[in-house]
Amino acid sequence: MIKAAFFDIDGTLVSFNTHKISESAKESIKQLREKGIKVFAASGRALFQIDNLKDIELDGYVTVNGGCCFVKDNENFKEIFRVSLDKEDLFSLMNYLDDKNNKFPCSLITSDSVFINYIDEIINILYGMANVKLPAVIDFNDYITNNYKDILQLNIFVDDNREKYIMNNVLKNSISSRWHFSFADVNPKCSGKNVGIDKVIEYYSIDISETIAFGDGGNDIGMIKHAGIGVAMGNANDDVKEISDYITDSVDDDGIYKALKHFDLVN
């Protein structure tokens, strides 16, 4: 029996084309909760960045790829888990970027803010695609030195080859995942959406076999493999589809509803 459902947001609940959640997905979430199934968003976004789900009622959030988790507590949400990026990695990144030959856009995400070292054309395009406000430009060295404990996630705007080099030589104590060819999320090794799921279901005394998870990008692979049932959207990357238990239709073609209907979880 399914007792908890986890949904990625961008490309899963929310369309990249409309920047909205479909009516069928809204109704599906409502039905799940009416049946007593707890429903959670599981996103690479921080909680303050989740502004595209309108008035949908949820039981909690797995944010920054599992690095910070929240559950509903009366009318508010309380934090039950948080892990920051490794201090050594952050200072290593700071030193690496000091060389002008190594320059690339990089953003820092905290529980309530996002900052970036500089903005170029690709940053403008990507943030526009996600319908997210551009981050504030800061002095990286100063911010990391004084606020390293607050940094939960990085976004590194590099290609695959550069990402591999950076992860192997600069951010050695972190992990990366990618849902868009232009950038990768960087998180602590002890996090991941699968870890976030575990923190949430432990809180509610739910077994992993009683969970279902939906996603479309590389940062969803861990939770799709980990959940009792892992569902890939029709618009998902091929590597996501390969490890899923079921492939549904795209976010723009009622994929959430169709999969939940397939598993007899909604009417």
Side-chain angles (χ1 to χ4, degrees), residues 2 10 21 39 68 73 90 93 95-96 100 107 116 125 132-133 163 181 186 196 201-203 215 225 233 256 264:
I2 297 298
D10 299 293
I21 180 170
V39 179
C68 198
D73 184 26
L90 290 169
L93 175 66
N95 292 332
Y96 179 76
K100 64 181 182 180
S107 62
I116 197 165
I125 293 172
V132 175
K133 182 181 177 181
E163 174 194 347
F181 69 89
V186 177
I201 64 175
E202 179 182 352
Y203 180 87
K225 291 174 66 176
M233 304 301 291
I256 298 265
D264 294 322

Side-chain angles (χ1 to χ4, degrees), residues 213-216 220-221 223-234 236-248 263:
F214 289 71
D216 70 302
D220 299 318
I221 289 175
M223 76 167 179
I224 289 175
K225 291 174 66 176
H226 188 54
I229 300 173
V231 180
M233 304 301 291
N237 299 338
D238 288 341
D239 53 351
V240 179
K241 292 178 179 178
E242 287 173 4
I243 55 84
S244 66
D245 299 305
Y246 183 75
I247 301 171
T248 187
F263 290 107

